[in-house]
Amino acid sequence: MQGRAASLIGKGAIEGLTISTFHVLGVKILRAEARRLGLRSTFSIFDADDCFGISQGLLATTDKASLRRAQSTISLWKNAMLSPEEAIASAQNEDAAQTARLYCDYSATLSAYQAVYFDDLIRLPTELFRKDSEARKAWQDRFAYLLVDEYQDTNACQYELLRVLTGERQSFTLVGDDDQSIYGWRGATLDNLTGLQRDFPTLKIVKLEQNYRSSQRILHAANTLIAKNPKIFEKRLWSDLGIGDEVVVNAADDDDAEAEQVVMRLLAHKMLKHTKFSDYAVLYRSNQQARAFEQMLRRERVPYVLSGGQSFFERAEIRDLIAYLRILVNGDDDPAFIRAATTPKRGIGPQTLESLGKLSGELHVSLFEATYRDELSDRLAARSKEILRQFGDTLNRFEWRAKREPAGVVLDDFIKAIGYEQYLHDSNDERTAANKWQNVLYFRNWIAKRAEEDDKSLIEIAQTIALLSSLDKDKESDSVQLSTLHASKGLEFPHVFLVGVEEGYLPHLGRDPTGEGDIAPGRIEEERRLMYVGVTRAQRSLTLTWCRKRKRAREFEPK
């Protein structure tokens, strides 16, 4: 935003402007007005982990799921400008009452600590301006004009801050699109749009209906989709960029077939049209859908970047196993050796690795090779040396098997030999350990399937994975974009594949397949807006895909 403003009015002219998010503006106000709120100017800003620890202590529970739900509810109350006392008064059941009491105790604890949380950064300045006319007038005079972008994503608290800052002058411009309001789950409300004409009777509405991004066919699909939703401000997008390619809808048998179909079509289209990988995006509703596409892109050695979630291959448990595969392929891979040697814990600590590293440097050999050098006896206690040798022997034994035996069998035995499942349960709570173990099993099955289909040994598959892991460190800018629909907002791509367009995924009507929460029935309008955002990311071509059956846990669910 600062760059765009500078290009329009010059770098010198923007020096007097305040260009920030609502939260950064809130911090600026709180630092200046801390005394009025009973805070030191050096108050602390707590992060989610800090507040989770406070809530855990107040509730005296280790149930992380219930703590996360309570924190989410408190966050929504704060964004709706609901005080702890109001939350207690409005509680309709014991769970809500318990959360409201936690909200009250939690707020008192933060105040005692001279600390605020993320949600307080807007709520506290708003409450100050409601009560303190002197502070309110000073900040109203400071901001003669306000411009708010992406206004449809604001919550009740942000709207109230806008109201008190504009005051009687009411000199503001809001840019928003009710058809792109997709953050209701975190407090954004369309009431902020519907209330404008009530609260500001002289409001002037300017409709920006010409679209400079998409072809006519894509816009026709978007208009037809969103026409099903009730309108706050009627509009109809149009484009003079030509009719464009037909919108394509493809069905696939299952998750893996969908990913293969998309990647093959992408590669064929790229070859035919002489495009770049960065011209393509694969958009999906839930993070878990990325996994099949990541694996297919890696199989075809297509560079990609992932946003809106953690890459499956970047998860700690997957990186642990990849480290073992890398060291099986290349004994000189010192970073992989260190990770493998210390995960799970086996008595190889920092001092042991330091001694091994010094010997490795003096002899100009890898850490793995240094493990078997006689000179190591002078550097380490007998027990430490024995543990290192046992670790090296395990790697050597499985390297031999990995070249000769079925990949799935070898990998199963290897995971058991290093005690990885027990390590996950020892290091995490039950739910987290179970999720991580499921990822391990998925990774194991994927490797076994690839090895069987390509008639390759585990060592040959591991060589490919090691190569791709090294490429990950230096990703090309020319990469396919994998993104959730939420994270794609504001972006655009010449060619878009919108996948998983089927009831239960897009739209979600019941439980979120990621397991991260529930999406209540009746949210179809927001789901339609979410798909509208996805459709309008496309400039020249749009392909929609869906599956006849999709795997949830280990079972296929027909569509």
Side-chain angles (χ1 to χ4, degrees), residues 178-234:
D178 53 328
D179 290 331
Q180 295 192 50
S181 179
I182 59 174
Y183 291 108
W185 51 276
R186 69 181 189 195
T189 173
L190 283 174
D191 291 344
N192 289 2
L193 281 165
T194 57
L196 283 174
Q197 290 172 303
R198 177 193 67 234
D199 296 334
F200 304 100
T202 60
L203 184 75
K204 180 182 178 182
I205 299 172
V206 179
K207 295 184 180 181
L208 306 175
E209 296 179 293
Q210 183 175 2
N211 180 287
Y212 298 92
R213 173 189 298 153
S214 305
S215 67
Q216 291 178 33
R217 274 195 171 119
I218 291 170
L219 288 185
H220 176 70
N223 286 331
T224 303
L225 167 70
I226 209 63
K228 305 292 184 182
N229 275 13
K231 298 294 181 183
I232 299 174
F233 301 108
E234 284 289 346

Short mmCIF file of all heavy atoms in Angstrom, two decimals, residues 178-234:
data_model
loop_
_atom_site.label_atom_id
_atom_site.label_comp_id
_atom_site.label_asym_id
_atom_site.label_seq_id
_atom_site.Cartn_x
_atom_site.Cartn_y
_atom_site.Cartn_z
N ASP A 178 -19.22 -6.82 -0.76
CA ASP A 178 -19.97 -7.75 0.08
C ASP A 178 -19.91 -9.17 -0.45
O ASP A 178 -20.09 -10.13 0.31
CB ASP A 178 -21.42 -7.29 0.23
CG ASP A 178 -22.11 -7.05 -1.10
OD1 ASP A 178 -21.44 -6.64 -2.06
OD2 ASP A 178 -23.33 -7.27 -1.19
N ASP A 179 -19.62 -9.35 -1.73
CA ASP A 179 -19.52 -10.69 -2.30
C ASP A 179 -18.20 -11.38 -1.96
O ASP A 179 -18.00 -12.55 -2.30
CB ASP A 179 -19.68 -10.64 -3.83
CG ASP A 179 -21.10 -10.30 -4.25
OD1 ASP A 179 -22.03 -10.62 -3.49
OD2 ASP A 179 -21.27 -9.70 -5.32
N GLN A 180 -17.27 -10.65 -1.32
CA GLN A 180 -15.99 -11.25 -0.96
C GLN A 180 -15.78 -11.27 0.56
O GLN A 180 -14.65 -11.33 1.03
CB GLN A 180 -14.84 -10.51 -1.65
CG GLN A 180 -14.86 -10.64 -3.15
CD GLN A 180 -13.57 -10.15 -3.80
OE1 GLN A 180 -12.48 -10.53 -3.41
NE2 GLN A 180 -13.70 -9.30 -4.81
N SER A 181 -16.87 -11.25 1.30
CA SER A 181 -16.77 -11.34 2.76
C SER A 181 -16.66 -12.81 3.16
O SER A 181 -17.65 -13.55 3.13
CB SER A 181 -18.01 -10.72 3.41
OG SER A 181 -17.92 -10.82 4.82
N ILE A 182 -15.44 -13.25 3.50
CA ILE A 182 -15.19 -14.67 3.73
C ILE A 182 -14.54 -14.96 5.08
O ILE A 182 -14.01 -16.04 5.31
CB ILE A 182 -14.28 -15.25 2.61
CG1 ILE A 182 -12.94 -14.52 2.57
CG2 ILE A 182 -14.99 -15.19 1.27
CD1 ILE A 182 -11.94 -15.13 1.59
N TYR A 183 -14.62 -13.99 6.00
CA TYR A 183 -13.96 -14.18 7.29
C TYR A 183 -14.93 -14.11 8.46
O TYR A 183 -14.57 -13.71 9.57
CB TYR A 183 -12.85 -13.14 7.48
CG TYR A 183 -11.68 -13.35 6.56
CD1 TYR A 183 -11.45 -12.48 5.49
CD2 TYR A 183 -10.83 -14.42 6.73
CE1 TYR A 183 -10.38 -12.69 4.62
CE2 TYR A 183 -9.76 -14.63 5.87
CZ TYR A 183 -9.54 -13.76 4.82
OH TYR A 183 -8.49 -13.97 3.97
N GLY A 184 -16.17 -14.56 8.25
CA GLY A 184 -17.15 -14.58 9.33
C GLY A 184 -16.69 -15.40 10.51
O GLY A 184 -16.99 -15.09 11.67
N TRP A 185 -15.93 -16.47 10.25
CA TRP A 185 -15.47 -17.36 11.32
C TRP A 185 -14.49 -16.69 12.27
O TRP A 185 -14.24 -17.18 13.37
CB TRP A 185 -14.82 -18.60 10.72
CG TRP A 185 -13.78 -18.32 9.68
CD1 TRP A 185 -14.00 -18.07 8.36
CD2 TRP A 185 -12.37 -18.21 9.88
NE1 TRP A 185 -12.81 -17.83 7.72
CE2 TRP A 185 -11.79 -17.90 8.62
CE3 TRP A 185 -11.53 -18.34 10.99
CZ2 TRP A 185 -10.42 -17.73 8.45
CZ3 TRP A 185 -10.16 -18.16 10.81
CH2 TRP A 185 -9.63 -17.86 9.55
N ARG A 186 -13.94 -15.53 11.88
CA ARG A 186 -13.05 -14.84 12.81
C ARG A 186 -13.59 -13.45 13.19
O ARG A 186 -12.84 -12.59 13.62
CB ARG A 186 -11.63 -14.74 12.26
CG ARG A 186 -11.43 -13.84 11.08
CD ARG A 186 -9.96 -13.88 10.65
NE ARG A 186 -9.65 -12.87 9.65
CZ ARG A 186 -8.54 -12.88 8.91
NH1 ARG A 186 -7.67 -13.86 9.07
NH2 ARG A 186 -8.31 -11.93 8.03
N GLY A 187 -14.91 -13.28 13.01
CA GLY A 187 -15.55 -12.08 13.55
C GLY A 187 -15.96 -11.05 12.53
O GLY A 187 -16.68 -10.10 12.86
N ALA A 188 -15.52 -11.16 11.27
CA ALA A 188 -15.93 -10.20 10.25
C ALA A 188 -17.43 -10.31 10.05
O ALA A 188 -18.00 -11.40 10.09
CB ALA A 188 -15.21 -10.47 8.93
N THR A 189 -18.08 -9.17 9.86
CA THR A 189 -19.54 -9.18 9.76
C THR A 189 -20.03 -8.25 8.65
O THR A 189 -19.54 -7.12 8.51
CB THR A 189 -20.19 -8.77 11.10
OG1 THR A 189 -21.59 -8.62 10.92
CG2 THR A 189 -19.61 -7.46 11.64
N LEU A 190 -21.01 -8.72 7.90
CA LEU A 190 -21.62 -7.89 6.85
C LEU A 190 -22.49 -6.80 7.45
O LEU A 190 -22.91 -5.88 6.73
CB LEU A 190 -22.43 -8.78 5.91
CG LEU A 190 -21.61 -9.59 4.90
CD1 LEU A 190 -22.50 -10.54 4.12
CD2 LEU A 190 -20.86 -8.68 3.93
N ASP A 191 -22.77 -6.88 8.75
CA ASP A 191 -23.52 -5.80 9.39
C ASP A 191 -22.78 -4.47 9.25
O ASP A 191 -23.40 -3.40 9.28
CB ASP A 191 -23.72 -6.11 10.89
CG ASP A 191 -24.69 -7.26 11.11
OD1 ASP A 191 -25.41 -7.62 10.15
OD2 ASP A 191 -24.71 -7.81 12.23
N ASN A 192 -21.46 -4.53 9.12
CA ASN A 192 -20.68 -3.30 8.94
C ASN A 192 -21.03 -2.61 7.63
O ASN A 192 -20.90 -1.40 7.51
CB ASN A 192 -19.18 -3.60 8.99
CG ASN A 192 -18.71 -3.95 10.38
OD1 ASN A 192 -19.50 -4.00 11.32
ND2 ASN A 192 -17.42 -4.19 10.53
N LEU A 193 -21.43 -3.39 6.63
CA LEU A 193 -21.87 -2.81 5.36
C LEU A 193 -23.33 -2.37 5.42
O LEU A 193 -23.68 -1.28 4.96
CB LEU A 193 -21.67 -3.82 4.23
CG LEU A 193 -20.24 -3.96 3.68
CD1 LEU A 193 -20.12 -5.23 2.85
CD2 LEU A 193 -19.86 -2.75 2.84
N THR A 194 -24.18 -3.21 5.98
CA THR A 194 -25.60 -2.86 6.03
C THR A 194 -25.85 -1.65 6.93
O THR A 194 -26.80 -0.89 6.71
CB THR A 194 -26.43 -4.06 6.55
OG1 THR A 194 -25.94 -4.45 7.84
CG2 THR A 194 -26.33 -5.25 5.60
N GLY A 195 -24.98 -1.46 7.94
CA GLY A 195 -25.18 -0.35 8.87
C GLY A 195 -24.72 0.99 8.34
O GLY A 195 -25.03 2.04 8.93
N LEU A 196 -23.97 0.99 7.25
CA LEU A 196 -23.41 2.25 6.76
C LEU A 196 -24.48 3.28 6.40
O LEU A 196 -24.40 4.45 6.78
CB LEU A 196 -22.52 1.99 5.54
CG LEU A 196 -21.13 1.41 5.81
CD1 LEU A 196 -20.44 1.06 4.50
CD2 LEU A 196 -20.29 2.41 6.61
N GLN A 197 -25.47 2.84 5.62
CA GLN A 197 -26.49 3.79 5.18
C GLN A 197 -27.36 4.27 6.35
O GLN A 197 -27.89 5.38 6.31
CB GLN A 197 -27.35 3.15 4.09
CG GLN A 197 -26.58 2.97 2.77
CD GLN A 197 -27.34 2.16 1.74
OE1 GLN A 197 -27.72 1.02 2.01
NE2 GLN A 197 -27.54 2.73 0.57
N ARG A 198 -27.48 3.42 7.39
CA ARG A 198 -28.23 3.83 8.58
C ARG A 198 -27.43 4.85 9.40
O ARG A 198 -27.97 5.88 9.83
CB ARG A 198 -28.53 2.60 9.42
CG ARG A 198 -29.26 2.91 10.73
CD ARG A 198 -29.24 1.70 11.66
NE ARG A 198 -27.89 1.41 12.12
CZ ARG A 198 -27.31 0.21 11.99
NH1 ARG A 198 -27.93 -0.78 11.40
NH2 ARG A 198 -26.07 0.03 12.45
N ASP A 199 -26.14 4.56 9.60
CA ASP A 199 -25.33 5.42 10.47
C ASP A 199 -24.80 6.66 9.75
O ASP A 199 -24.46 7.65 10.41
CB ASP A 199 -24.16 4.61 11.02
CG ASP A 199 -24.61 3.47 11.92
OD1 ASP A 199 -25.70 3.59 12.51
OD2 ASP A 199 -23.89 2.46 12.02
N PHE A 200 -24.72 6.59 8.42
CA PHE A 200 -24.20 7.72 7.64
C PHE A 200 -25.17 8.00 6.49
O PHE A 200 -24.96 7.57 5.35
CB PHE A 200 -22.81 7.40 7.10
CG PHE A 200 -21.82 7.03 8.18
CD1 PHE A 200 -21.50 5.70 8.42
CD2 PHE A 200 -21.22 8.01 8.96
CE1 PHE A 200 -20.59 5.35 9.41
CE2 PHE A 200 -20.31 7.66 9.95
CZ PHE A 200 -20.00 6.34 10.18
N PRO A 201 -26.26 8.73 6.74
CA PRO A 201 -27.32 8.94 5.74
C PRO A 201 -26.84 9.63 4.48
O PRO A 201 -27.46 9.48 3.41
CB PRO A 201 -28.33 9.81 6.49
CG PRO A 201 -28.05 9.57 7.94
CD PRO A 201 -26.59 9.34 8.04
N THR A 202 -25.76 10.40 4.56
CA THR A 202 -25.26 11.13 3.38
C THR A 202 -24.25 10.30 2.59
O THR A 202 -23.57 10.84 1.70
CB THR A 202 -24.63 12.47 3.79
OG1 THR A 202 -23.53 12.21 4.68
CG2 THR A 202 -25.65 13.35 4.49
N LEU A 203 -24.15 9.02 2.90
CA LEU A 203 -23.18 8.14 2.24
C LEU A 203 -23.36 8.17 0.72
O LEU A 203 -24.46 8.04 0.20
CB LEU A 203 -23.37 6.71 2.75
CG LEU A 203 -22.38 5.66 2.24
CD1 LEU A 203 -21.04 5.83 2.93
CD2 LEU A 203 -22.93 4.25 2.50
N LYS A 204 -22.25 8.33 0.01
CA LYS A 204 -22.26 8.28 -1.45
C LYS A 204 -21.67 6.95 -1.90
O LYS A 204 -20.59 6.57 -1.47
CB LYS A 204 -21.44 9.43 -2.04
CG LYS A 204 -21.41 9.42 -3.57
CD LYS A 204 -20.55 10.55 -4.12
CE LYS A 204 -20.49 10.51 -5.64
NZ LYS A 204 -19.62 11.58 -6.19
N ILE A 205 -22.40 6.23 -2.75
CA ILE A 205 -21.97 4.91 -3.20
C ILE A 205 -21.46 5.01 -4.64
O ILE A 205 -22.15 5.49 -5.53
CB ILE A 205 -23.13 3.90 -3.12
CG1 ILE A 205 -23.59 3.76 -1.68
CG2 ILE A 205 -22.70 2.54 -3.68
CD1 ILE A 205 -24.85 2.95 -1.53
N VAL A 206 -20.24 4.54 -4.86
CA VAL A 206 -19.64 4.49 -6.20
C VAL A 206 -19.40 3.02 -6.53
O VAL A 206 -18.64 2.34 -5.83
CB VAL A 206 -18.31 5.27 -6.26
CG1 VAL A 206 -17.71 5.18 -7.66
CG2 VAL A 206 -18.52 6.73 -5.86
N LYS A 207 -20.04 2.51 -7.57
CA LYS A 207 -19.89 1.11 -7.94
C LYS A 207 -18.75 0.94 -8.93
O LYS A 207 -18.71 1.62 -9.95
CB LYS A 207 -21.19 0.58 -8.54
CG LYS A 207 -22.34 0.54 -7.56
CD LYS A 207 -23.58 -0.08 -8.19
CE LYS A 207 -24.74 -0.10 -7.19
NZ LYS A 207 -25.95 -0.74 -7.75
N LEU A 208 -17.83 0.05 -8.60
CA LEU A 208 -16.70 -0.27 -9.47
C LEU A 208 -16.99 -1.61 -10.13
O LEU A 208 -16.62 -2.66 -9.61
CB LEU A 208 -15.40 -0.31 -8.66
CG LEU A 208 -15.09 0.93 -7.82
CD1 LEU A 208 -13.85 0.70 -6.97
CD2 LEU A 208 -14.93 2.16 -8.70
N GLU A 209 -17.69 -1.60 -11.25
CA GLU A 209 -18.19 -2.83 -11.84
C GLU A 209 -17.32 -3.35 -12.98
O GLU A 209 -17.46 -4.52 -13.36
CB GLU A 209 -19.62 -2.62 -12.34
CG GLU A 209 -20.59 -2.32 -11.20
CD GLU A 209 -22.01 -2.09 -11.69
OE1 GLU A 209 -22.22 -1.07 -12.37
OE2 GLU A 209 -22.88 -2.92 -11.41
N GLN A 210 -16.45 -2.52 -13.53
CA GLN A 210 -15.58 -3.03 -14.59
C GLN A 210 -14.45 -3.83 -13.97
O GLN A 210 -13.75 -3.37 -13.06
CB GLN A 210 -15.00 -1.91 -15.44
CG GLN A 210 -14.14 -2.45 -16.59
CD GLN A 210 -13.63 -1.38 -17.54
OE1 GLN A 210 -13.89 -0.19 -17.33
NE2 GLN A 210 -12.93 -1.78 -18.58
N ASN A 211 -14.27 -5.04 -14.45
CA ASN A 211 -13.22 -5.93 -13.97
C ASN A 211 -12.07 -5.89 -14.97
O ASN A 211 -12.28 -6.06 -16.17
CB ASN A 211 -13.78 -7.36 -13.84
CG ASN A 211 -12.74 -8.35 -13.34
OD1 ASN A 211 -11.84 -8.72 -14.07
ND2 ASN A 211 -12.90 -8.79 -12.11
N TYR A 212 -10.86 -5.66 -14.46
CA TYR A 212 -9.68 -5.54 -15.34
C TYR A 212 -8.83 -6.81 -15.31
O TYR A 212 -7.72 -6.81 -15.81
CB TYR A 212 -8.84 -4.34 -14.89
CG TYR A 212 -9.58 -3.02 -15.00
CD1 TYR A 212 -10.29 -2.52 -13.91
CD2 TYR A 212 -9.60 -2.30 -16.19
CE1 TYR A 212 -10.98 -1.32 -13.99
CE2 TYR A 212 -10.28 -1.10 -16.28
CZ TYR A 212 -10.97 -0.62 -15.19
OH TYR A 212 -11.66 0.57 -15.29
N ARG A 213 -9.35 -7.87 -14.74
CA ARG A 213 -8.57 -9.09 -14.55
C ARG A 213 -9.03 -10.23 -15.44
O ARG A 213 -8.23 -10.86 -16.12
CB ARG A 213 -8.65 -9.52 -13.09
CG ARG A 213 -8.02 -10.87 -12.80
CD ARG A 213 -8.34 -11.33 -11.38
NE ARG A 213 -7.80 -10.40 -10.40
CZ ARG A 213 -8.30 -10.21 -9.19
NH1 ARG A 213 -9.38 -10.88 -8.81
NH2 ARG A 213 -7.74 -9.36 -8.34
N SER A 214 -10.32 -10.51 -15.43
CA SER A 214 -10.83 -11.78 -15.96
C SER A 214 -11.56 -11.62 -17.29
O SER A 214 -12.09 -10.55 -17.60
CB SER A 214 -11.77 -12.43 -14.95
OG SER A 214 -11.14 -12.59 -13.70
N SER A 215 -11.61 -12.71 -18.03
CA SER A 215 -12.36 -12.74 -19.29
C SER A 215 -13.86 -12.76 -19.01
O SER A 215 -14.31 -13.01 -17.89
CB SER A 215 -11.97 -13.99 -20.09
OG SER A 215 -12.43 -15.16 -19.44
N GLN A 216 -14.66 -12.55 -20.05
CA GLN A 216 -16.10 -12.48 -19.89
C GLN A 216 -16.70 -13.80 -19.39
O GLN A 216 -17.61 -13.82 -18.57
CB GLN A 216 -16.75 -12.09 -21.22
CG GLN A 216 -16.45 -10.66 -21.65
CD GLN A 216 -17.07 -10.32 -22.99
OE1 GLN A 216 -18.13 -10.82 -23.34
NE2 GLN A 216 -16.39 -9.47 -23.76
N ARG A 217 -16.19 -14.92 -19.89
CA ARG A 217 -16.74 -16.21 -19.48
C ARG A 217 -16.53 -16.44 -17.98
O ARG A 217 -17.42 -16.94 -17.29
CB ARG A 217 -16.09 -17.33 -20.29
CG ARG A 217 -16.77 -17.59 -21.63
CD ARG A 217 -16.32 -18.92 -22.19
NE ARG A 217 -17.10 -19.30 -23.36
CZ ARG A 217 -16.60 -19.49 -24.58
NH1 ARG A 217 -15.31 -19.32 -24.78
NH2 ARG A 217 -17.37 -19.86 -25.57
N ILE A 218 -15.35 -16.10 -17.50
CA ILE A 218 -15.06 -16.28 -16.07
C ILE A 218 -15.97 -15.37 -15.24
O ILE A 218 -16.54 -15.80 -14.22
CB ILE A 218 -13.57 -16.00 -15.78
CG1 ILE A 218 -12.71 -17.10 -16.41
CG2 ILE A 218 -13.32 -15.91 -14.27
CD1 ILE A 218 -11.23 -16.81 -16.39
N LEU A 219 -16.16 -14.14 -15.69
CA LEU A 219 -17.02 -13.22 -14.95
C LEU A 219 -18.48 -13.67 -15.00
O LEU A 219 -19.22 -13.50 -14.03
CB LEU A 219 -16.90 -11.80 -15.51
CG LEU A 219 -15.59 -11.08 -15.19
CD1 LEU A 219 -15.65 -9.66 -15.69
CD2 LEU A 219 -15.32 -11.08 -13.69
N HIS A 220 -18.89 -14.24 -16.13
CA HIS A 220 -20.26 -14.75 -16.23
C HIS A 220 -20.48 -15.87 -15.21
O HIS A 220 -21.52 -15.92 -14.53
CB HIS A 220 -20.55 -15.27 -17.64
CG HIS A 220 -21.90 -15.90 -17.78
ND1 HIS A 220 -23.07 -15.16 -17.74
CD2 HIS A 220 -22.28 -17.20 -17.93
CE1 HIS A 220 -24.11 -15.97 -17.87
NE2 HIS A 220 -23.65 -17.21 -17.98
N ALA A 221 -19.49 -16.76 -15.08
CA ALA A 221 -19.59 -17.83 -14.09
C ALA A 221 -19.66 -17.24 -12.68
O ALA A 221 -20.46 -17.70 -11.85
CB ALA A 221 -18.38 -18.77 -14.22
N ALA A 222 -18.82 -16.23 -12.40
CA ALA A 222 -18.81 -15.61 -11.07
C ALA A 222 -20.14 -14.91 -10.78
O ALA A 222 -20.70 -15.05 -9.69
CB ALA A 222 -17.66 -14.62 -10.98
N ASN A 223 -20.67 -14.18 -11.75
CA ASN A 223 -21.93 -13.47 -11.56
C ASN A 223 -23.09 -14.44 -11.34
O ASN A 223 -23.97 -14.22 -10.50
CB ASN A 223 -22.23 -12.59 -12.77
CG ASN A 223 -21.36 -11.34 -12.83
OD1 ASN A 223 -20.93 -10.84 -11.79
ND2 ASN A 223 -21.07 -10.85 -14.02
N THR A 224 -23.09 -15.54 -12.11
CA THR A 224 -24.16 -16.53 -11.97
C THR A 224 -24.10 -17.19 -10.60
O THR A 224 -25.13 -17.42 -9.96
CB THR A 224 -24.02 -17.61 -13.07
OG1 THR A 224 -24.03 -16.98 -14.35
CG2 THR A 224 -25.15 -18.62 -12.98
N LEU A 225 -22.90 -17.48 -10.13
CA LEU A 225 -22.72 -18.11 -8.82
C LEU A 225 -23.23 -17.21 -7.70
O LEU A 225 -24.04 -17.61 -6.86
CB LEU A 225 -21.23 -18.42 -8.61
CG LEU A 225 -20.78 -18.79 -7.20
CD1 LEU A 225 -21.31 -20.16 -6.82
CD2 LEU A 225 -19.26 -18.75 -7.09
N ILE A 226 -22.78 -15.97 -7.69
CA ILE A 226 -23.06 -15.08 -6.56
C ILE A 226 -24.47 -14.50 -6.62
O ILE A 226 -24.96 -13.95 -5.62
CB ILE A 226 -21.99 -13.96 -6.48
CG1 ILE A 226 -21.80 -13.48 -5.03
CG2 ILE A 226 -22.33 -12.81 -7.42
CD1 ILE A 226 -21.28 -14.54 -4.09
N ALA A 227 -25.15 -14.64 -7.75
CA ALA A 227 -26.53 -14.14 -7.88
C ALA A 227 -27.46 -14.84 -6.90
O ALA A 227 -28.53 -14.32 -6.56
CB ALA A 227 -27.02 -14.34 -9.31
N LYS A 228 -27.06 -16.03 -6.43
CA LYS A 228 -27.88 -16.78 -5.48
C LYS A 228 -27.90 -16.13 -4.10
O LYS A 228 -28.76 -16.42 -3.28
CB LYS A 228 -27.38 -18.22 -5.35
CG LYS A 228 -27.27 -18.98 -6.67
CD LYS A 228 -28.62 -19.26 -7.28
CE LYS A 228 -28.49 -20.11 -8.53
NZ LYS A 228 -29.81 -20.36 -9.16
N ASN A 229 -26.94 -15.26 -3.80
CA ASN A 229 -26.85 -14.62 -2.49
C ASN A 229 -27.67 -13.35 -2.45
O ASN A 229 -27.74 -12.62 -3.45
CB ASN A 229 -25.39 -14.26 -2.16
CG ASN A 229 -24.63 -15.41 -1.55
OD1 ASN A 229 -25.09 -16.55 -1.58
ND2 ASN A 229 -23.45 -15.14 -1.01
N PRO A 230 -28.29 -13.03 -1.31
CA PRO A 230 -28.94 -11.72 -1.17
C PRO A 230 -27.91 -10.61 -1.26
O PRO A 230 -26.75 -10.80 -0.87
CB PRO A 230 -29.57 -11.79 0.23
CG PRO A 230 -28.79 -12.84 0.96
CD PRO A 230 -28.36 -13.84 -0.08
N LYS A 231 -28.31 -9.44 -1.77
CA LYS A 231 -27.37 -8.35 -2.04
C LYS A 231 -27.56 -7.20 -1.05
O LYS A 231 -28.69 -6.85 -0.69
CB LYS A 231 -27.56 -7.81 -3.46
CG LYS A 231 -27.28 -8.83 -4.55
CD LYS A 231 -25.82 -9.22 -4.55
CE LYS A 231 -25.54 -10.22 -5.66
NZ LYS A 231 -24.14 -10.66 -5.64
N ILE A 232 -26.45 -6.62 -0.65
CA ILE A 232 -26.48 -5.37 0.10
C ILE A 232 -26.40 -4.21 -0.89
O ILE A 232 -27.19 -3.27 -0.83
CB ILE A 232 -25.32 -5.30 1.11
CG1 ILE A 232 -25.44 -6.45 2.12
CG2 ILE A 232 -25.30 -3.96 1.84
CD1 ILE A 232 -24.27 -6.57 3.07
N PHE A 233 -25.46 -4.30 -1.82
CA PHE A 233 -25.33 -3.32 -2.89
C PHE A 233 -25.33 -4.09 -4.22
O PHE A 233 -24.43 -4.88 -4.47
CB PHE A 233 -24.03 -2.51 -2.75
CG PHE A 233 -23.92 -1.76 -1.46
CD1 PHE A 233 -23.04 -2.17 -0.47
CD2 PHE A 233 -24.71 -0.65 -1.22
CE1 PHE A 233 -22.95 -1.49 0.73
CE2 PHE A 233 -24.63 0.04 -0.02
CZ PHE A 233 -23.74 -0.38 0.96
N GLU A 234 -26.33 -3.87 -5.02
CA GLU A 234 -26.42 -4.58 -6.30
C GLU A 234 -25.30 -4.14 -7.23
O GLU A 234 -24.99 -2.95 -7.34
CB GLU A 234 -27.77 -4.29 -6.97
CG GLU A 234 -28.94 -5.05 -6.35
CD GLU A 234 -28.91 -6.53 -6.65
OE1 GLU A 234 -28.15 -6.95 -7.54
OE2 GLU A 234 -29.65 -7.28 -5.97
#
